[in-house]
Amino acid sequence: MFIRMIRGALFRQRGKMLLIAFTIALGTSLATAMLNVMLDVGDKVNQELKTYGANITVKPKDSSLLSDLYDVEDEGDVIQTSYLKEEEVGKLKTIFWAFNIVDFAPFIDADITLADGSQVKLVGTWFNHHLELPTGENLDVGVTSLRTWWDIADGTWLDEQTEGSENAIMIGTVLAEREGWKVGDTISLEGPASSCEAVITGIFDAGGDEDEQIYAPLDLVQELSDTEGKVAYIEVSALTTPDNDLAKRAAQNPAALSAKDYETWYCTAYVSAICYQIQEAITDSVASAVRQVAESEGAILDKTQLLMILITILSLIGSALGISNLVTASVMERAQEIGLLKAIGAKDRSITGLVLTEILITALVGGVAGYFLGFGFAQLIGRTVFGSAIEMKVMVIPIVIVLISLVTAAGSLPAIRMVLRLRPAEVLHGSKA
Amino acid sequence: MSLLELKNISKIYGELKALDNVNIKVEKGEWVAIMGPSGSGKSTMMNIIGCMDKPSLGEVLLDGVDISKESSKKLTEIRRDKIGLIFQQFHMVNYLTAVENVMVSQYYHSMPDEEEALEALGRVGLRERAKHLPSQLSGGEQQRVCVARALINAPELILADEPTGNLDEANENIVLDLFRQLHREGTTLIVVTHDPEVAEAAQRTIVLEHGRVAREIINENFQE
Ligand SMILES: Nc1ncnc2c1ncn2[C@@H]1O[C@H](COP(=O)(O)OP(=O)(O)OP(=O)(O)O)[C@@H](O)[C@H]1O
Ligand SMILES: [Mg+2]
């Protein structure tokens, strides 16, 4: 009979129940969407900031010592005395924080002479280099995804995975204009060790020094400068956690940390921890954070997250008010029915059980629908704001369940209590025919 | 021992004495009508007898138990076990069918039994409409469902507050015939009414005025 009553209440008052379910669904979806976005916004903003370039550079130990010593880093020509091994570049994906390593590319430079005798800087790198890791993972890494801000003025990105790409190059707009080169032109390059002919596949506008340079596949440059298997430096783009005190202490000397601190630090995606692990993986290397980006990243992230938390709290309060209002109203509306059941001999407990079961089922239906709706909203926000999907966080489910139950209970309990206190004589007699 | 005895009952709302020192006795199996002008305290008295309200002063003995002192939980039990209620407005659970509305009463009393509930609907001539929702029934039909619901648990006492107030002649007669049947079966009936015809069907009429018993009329023409 209980089930029959519940069924009757739910199905024969479909309109009313759907309205409640709908409100709960809306509230739930709002909560789900905001929570999902909030929890994912860190990764998203990080990913967004990543498009402004690499945040870690890896150099050979000696060269960085040398350049530090003479304070000539990144200023003109450094005499390259030592190199990293190309075969070790893939090891970046084997460190503890491998999943946080989003992209990377090895570089080697060479000064070459053109047919007209002028000198140009040739940069060898990976474009969309295909890697097969020992773990079985496959991925493409390189400047194509690392230099997202480059405008391809003409032609296309150099595609390493097509035939003939080993002799393909990309050139900067400034150089293209000066030399009058176009896409498809074949030019001759004379390097320190040998020379070759190469075809231009694309002209890029990077808005910097690169616009006067030539970019070519790593192998080509190694051949021209007789540096097979060698790499001058690696740029790495990694998702990182903003540094805190622990990270700063660790950055000075990881060995000075207590065992517990060390573990915490090692297992948190601090830039310094990731750098440390990169050094462990790549022989004789020094990995360092590109400071400015890393720090502003942290600040932006904190602010964005604070904003999201505020919006989430507000939207939760909003949906809570909506749900509890409607639930209260719908319980109060049933005063007469409840009075009748009491007059017939129903105990308070059975009436409470009846009403709560109904609301629970309605809330469940609304909640489940709302969860998926909210997940859809989150994706919509992800796509429009960040241009990528929002990851489904499992922890949102229990949070939302607790939240919706609390709100629904808060909405129905006072109403049920009020209705229970009400005496059947008052609802049933009064000549309000 | 009388089934019901009101001893010096008063119900006071602030300045107003809705019931003023009322003394009434009703024997087992008796059929009593209560009449009186609007506001004379009829419903107030029915609520007290029906365990839905308590008197301000006085004692109410139902089957020898003083119900004016009981807890509301106990009153719910007494009402469930001994009393069948019929109201002027046909209160039904509007999302349950006719037969389900009758079964609800069984459910809270003991065990729902659809066959028995259908039989009760048969007694009020509504067996064919058992699967209809209240919104699909006429007023008279709804009231008959309420009567079926009141008698399903075979209560000792049926309290009806203007059961025919909203009914036409034909439906009024159906309900009165049912009352006669119940009376023959030994059920005690207390019926509040404005309608002299309904009052004349009873064995005895008590007239209330200003919360007091004004007079009692024994119906000499009463037919079993
Ligand atoms: N809860 C209440 N609070 C205050 N006064 C009340 C309350 N209930 C009833 N009264 C008053 O008590 C008096 C008796 O009311 P009651 O409902 O018993 O009259 P009645 O005889 O049933 O009238 P009617 O024929 O119109 O149904 C009325 O004056 C009414 O206003
Ligand atoms: Mg009345």
Side-chain angles (χ1 to χ4, degrees):
Chain A
M1 191 67 215
F2 184 75
I3 292 168
R4 240 169 125 162
M5 290 170 79
I6 297 278
R7 226 178 30 212
L10 292 180
F11 289 107
R12 301 205 185 111
Q13 311 184 96
R14 229 170 295 140
K16 224 168 80 184
M17 292 302 174
L18 277 181
L19 188 66
I20 299 179
F22 181 69
T23 310
I24 293 178
L26 270 187
T28 314
S29 66
L30 203 57
T32 310
M34 294 323 278
L35 282 172
N36 264 316
V37 171
M38 187 185 90
L39 292 176
D40 209 32
V41 78
D43 290 353
K44 280 282 165 296
V45 169
N46 240 326
Q47 205 121 34
E48 193 79 358
L49 289 169
K50 173 215 132 199
T51 54
Y52 295 106
N55 47 10
I56 294 175
T57 52
V58 188
K59 291 179 182 163
K61 206 179 233 165
D62 303 340
S63 94
S64 53
L65 259 180
L66 197 73
S67 49
D68 281 353
L69 213 60
Y70 295 107
D71 195 23
V72 288
E73 189 178 12
D74 293 339
E75 289 173 13
D77 300 331
V78 180
I79 306 123
Q80 194 85 32
T81 54
S82 59
Y83 296 90
L84 300 169
K85 297 190 188 104
E86 184 183 352
E87 66 196 35
E88 284 189 337
V89 175
K91 283 192 179 173
L92 283 170
K93 270 300 210 184
T94 62
I95 66 168
F96 182 79
W97 282 110
F99 282 116
N100 285 46
I101 305 287
V102 183
D103 209 342
F104 51 88
F107 291 90
I108 192 158
D109 300 346
D111 288 322
I112 54 138
T113 314
L114 298 175
D116 61 4
S118 59
Q119 291 253 320
V120 176
K121 186 168 173 186
L122 175 68
V123 181
T125 186
W126 288 351
F127 289 83
N128 55 340
H129 194 80
H130 189 73
L131 276 183
E132 265 172 43
L133 301 179
T135 58
E137 203 189 335
N138 282 294
L139 74 166
D140 291 339
V141 293
V143 288
T144 308
S145 41
L146 207 54
R147 297 274 191 267
T148 45
W149 69 94
W150 278 15
D151 257 350
I152 303 303
D154 203 3
T156 56
W157 274 102
L158 196 159
D159 185 355
E160 283 186 40
Q161 286 154 37
T162 58
E163 212 149 312
S165 63
E166 51 291 350
N167 276 321
I169 53 168
M170 293 182 78
I171 59 171
T173 42
V174 175
L175 181 66
E177 198 157 321
R178 196 172 68 212
E179 301 291 336
W181 289 337
K182 289 184 292 297
V183 171
D185 285 356
T186 304
I187 56 171
S188 60
L189 306 169
E190 193 189 330
S194 64
S195 56
C196 73
E197 306 263 287
V199 183
I200 301 171
T201 65
I203 298 173
F204 59 82
D205 182 1
D209 290 344
E210 299 100 311
D211 291 345
E212 296 177 34
Q213 299 167 359
I214 301 177
Y215 272 65
L218 193 67
D219 292 344
L220 182 73
V221 181
Q222 285 169 341
E223 204 180 306
L224 289 177
S225 56
D226 197 19
T227 49
E228 273 83 359
K230 292 174 179 171
V231 167
Y233 61 98
I234 309 170
E235 283 185 17
V236 181
S237 173
L239 299 179
T240 61
T241 304
D243 275 358
N244 61 5
D245 273 354
L246 176 62
K248 280 175 192 140
R249 268 191 292 138
Q252 277 155 21
N253 183 9
L257 295 177
S258 72
K260 192 162 165 279
D261 277 355
Y262 179 80
E263 192 170 315
T264 313
W265 171 71
Y266 197 87
C267 298
T268 308
Y270 296 124
V271 183
S272 54
I274 293 179
C275 287
Y276 184 73
Q277 289 167 9
I278 290 175
Q279 286 166 201
E280 286 180 331
I282 298 182
T283 325
D284 288 335
S285 67
V286 171
S288 52
V290 180
R291 272 295 164 204
Q292 274 171 330
V293 177
E295 264 159 26
S296 63
E297 225 169 281
I300 291 174
L301 201 57
D302 283 348
K303 279 180 192 155
T304 320
Q305 226 140 20
L306 184 69
L307 192 71
M308 289 303 296
I309 289 172
L310 285 179
I311 295 175
T312 307
I313 291 174
L314 282 182
S315 55
L316 289 182
I317 293 176
S319 44
L321 283 179
I323 293 175
S324 64
N325 247 338
L326 195 68
V327 172
T328 309
S330 83
V331 175
M332 298 303 282
E333 228 173 68
R334 305 174 60 175
Q336 211 199 58
E337 176 199 326
I338 290 168
L340 173 70
L341 293 181
K342 277 175 129 177
I344 288 177
K347 295 221 181 68
D348 288 359
R349 204 164 358 110
S350 34
I351 295 178
T352 317
L354 186 74
V355 175
L356 272 185
T357 309
E358 271 176 47
I359 290 179
L360 219 79
I361 293 175
T362 315
L364 200 72
V365 171
V368 169
Y371 177 77
F372 287 104
L373 200 68
F375 193 65
F377 279 157
Q379 297 309 334
L380 205 69
I381 295 175
R383 296 242 173 263
T384 45
V385 179
F386 301 109
S388 64
I390 298 272
E391 210 183 305
M392 195 150 178
K393 295 275 199 279
V394 185
M395 70 179 283
V396 169
I397 298 176
I399 296 181
V400 167
I401 289 178
V402 168
L403 222 69
I404 296 306
S405 318
L406 275 183
V407 163
T408 314
S412 34
L413 283 184
I416 290 178
R417 253 186 48 203
M418 228 184 279
V419 170
L420 285 181
R421 236 185 274 136
L422 170 155
R423 295 208 314 278
E426 285 166 17
V427 244
L428 297 180
H429 282 290
S431 12
K432 49 165 181 172
Chain B
M1 189 183 63
S2 311
L3 175 69
L4 176 75
E5 191 171 354
L6 305 189
K7 285 185 180 168
N8 307 320
I9 289 297
S10 293
K11 180 75 185 179
I12 300 161
Y13 293 115
E15 300 275 281
L16 180 88
K17 283 188 171 172
L19 289 177
D20 187 3
N21 206 24
V22 171
N23 286 284
I24 290 177
K25 268 191 189 181
V26 177
E27 301 302 323
K28 212 170 220 126
E30 220 184 342
W31 181 355
V32 177
I34 309 232
M35 289 191 83
S38 187
S40 54
K42 305 183 296 293
S43 295
T44 307
M45 192 172 90
M46 292 297 261
N47 286 341
I48 291 173
I49 300 171
C51 301
M52 299 199 288
D53 204 351
K54 288 183 182 181
S56 312
L57 296 168
E59 274 184 4
V60 184
L61 294 178
L62 183 65
D63 247 352
V65 179
D66 184 0
I67 58 173
S68 57
K69 306 275 186 304
E70 294 292 350
S71 72
S72 68
K73 196 176 159 206
K74 185 80 188 161
L75 288 179
T76 303
E77 275 168 28
I78 294 172
R79 185 166 62 235
R80 185 188 68 200
D81 294 339
K82 299 193 168 159
I83 300 172
L85 294 164
I86 303 169
F87 309 98
Q88 177 173 6
Q89 291 104 40
F90 347 103
H91 294 290
M92 290 176 76
V93 180
N94 54 27
Y95 53 81
L96 295 178
T97 60
V99 68
E100 283 168 346
N101 262 282
V102 176
M103 286 165 73
V104 167
S105 188
Q106 293 177 310
Y107 172 64
Y108 288 120
H109 180 265
S110 46
M111 280 283 285
D113 178 341
E114 186 148 16
E115 222 14 76
E116 215 176 284
L118 285 170
E119 257 165 53
L121 282 180
R123 277 185 80 176
V124 298
L126 288 174
R127 206 179 168 122
E128 284 71 48
R129 323 224 64 178
K131 298 279 179 235
H132 286 62
L133 288 171
S135 55
Q136 300 163 326
L137 295 172
S138 76
E141 287 166 338
Q142 288 186 47
Q143 187 63 308
R144 278 146 65 190
V145 175
C146 292
V147 173
R149 183 178 62 199
L151 58 82
I152 187 71
N153 295 323
E156 282 176 74
L157 175 61
I158 285 191
L159 298 178
D161 195 346
E162 300 199 40
T164 57
N166 286 324
L167 299 186
D168 64 4
E169 186 86 21
N171 274 302
E172 184 180 304
N173 283 328
I174 295 175
V175 171
L176 279 182
D177 279 339
L178 272 166
F179 285 172
R180 283 190 191 103
Q181 258 183 47
L182 288 168
H183 173 69
R184 275 198 294 274
E185 288 162 17
T187 310
T188 313
L189 291 159
I190 302 178
V191 182
V192 169
T193 185
H194 279 291
D195 186 343
E197 235 177 278
V198 175
E200 270 162 30
Q203 291 168 303
R204 175 161 67 112
T205 303
I206 296 170
V207 181
L208 287 185
E209 267 168 29
H210 304 294
R212 293 164 175 271
V213 178
R215 58 190 175 278
E216 279 190 43
I217 307 157
I218 307 289
N219 183 3
E220 319 254 297
N221 307 325
F222 181 77
Q223 303 149 353
E224 283 294 329

